[in-house]
Amino acid sequence: MLTHRWVDIDPIAAGQHPLYGIAGWLPWVLAIAIAGPTWVFWQGLSMDALQLAGADLFDANAPGSGAINLTTLLYLISCVTVLVLATTHDSAFRPAMLVHMALLPPLIGLMLMAGGIPGARSTFIDGVAVAAALTLTCGVYLQLSRRVRITFELRDWAPGEHAWFKRQKRAAAG
């Protein structure tokens, strides 16, 4: 039975572990977790939204430009934060990724709705769907992945945990 009792391990031992590092499924999870909000972001900033804001997005008097600029800033900060935490193997990576995947896509739609951007309601609905899909796939991987725990939290299964899972050494034939 899987109980997932995680215990702290030595940083040197974690660095020597074969599952240490960003490899396996983790790069794909990172790519999907960045691609999902990116898709919602670009759907929200359609040509209609950009035309409403006018040519000068940084003009505070243009209608909708503040919402677009704030959404862009939030999107960039969230994506860069997740990627920096991943590359530096920071222990805050897993919680930050879960927040990034669950909250950023619908928040993009909410911010655009608050700014009166056309099509923001459908962007919010898309954002909720993307957040649910990301959380149910990539979020589950982040919660259960041994690689994520070893690399970012310096934790591994408790000794004797999952003993049935380990390969049995066969006696030498002869």
Side-chain angles (χ1 to χ4, degrees):
M1 179 169 160
L2 298 174
T3 57
H4 294 300
R5 287 178 285 180
W6 301 99
V7 295
D8 293 335
I9 58 175
D10 182 43
I12 296 171
Q16 301 293 327
H17 199 282
L19 290 178
Y20 185 82
I22 299 176
W25 286 101
L26 190 54
W28 290 102
V29 168
L30 276 168
I32 292 168
I34 296 296
T38 301
W39 181 78
V40 172
F41 180 72
W42 286 112
Q43 289 296 322
L45 294 181
S46 63
M47 288 308 278
D48 293 336
L50 293 176
Q51 287 175 353
L52 175 71
D56 188 9
L57 289 177
F58 299 106
D59 181 12
N61 296 325
S65 67
I68 291 173
N69 290 335
L70 191 59
T71 304
T72 304
L73 184 64
L74 175 71
Y75 164 78
L76 290 174
I77 288 172
S78 182
C79 290
V80 168
T81 300
V82 164
L83 291 174
V84 166
L85 291 175
T87 55
T88 59
H89 297 187
D90 195 287
S91 63
F93 169 75
R94 192 171 51 88
M97 270 290 278
L98 292 171
V99 168
H100 169 83
M101 292 184 303
L103 296 181
L104 182 63
L107 194 57
I108 289 170
L110 280 176
M111 291 176 67
L112 293 176
M113 278 177 37
I117 304 298
R121 185 176 305 267
S122 65
T123 301
F124 174 72
I125 294 169
D126 291 344
V128 170
V130 167
L134 286 174
T135 304
L136 291 174
T137 56
C138 298
V140 170
Y141 170 81
L142 290 173
Q143 284 296 103
L144 300 178
S145 173
R146 189 173 172 204
R147 177 181 300 278
V148 170
R149 298 288 178 136
I150 290 170
T151 302
F152 297 102
E153 299 174 6
L154 304 177
R155 299 172 66 83
D156 197 5
W157 291 337
E161 186 79 10
H162 306 291
W164 59 271
F165 186 71
K166 296 179 180 173
R167 292 184 184 164
Q168 301 294 330
K169 293 185 179 180
R170 297 182 186 188

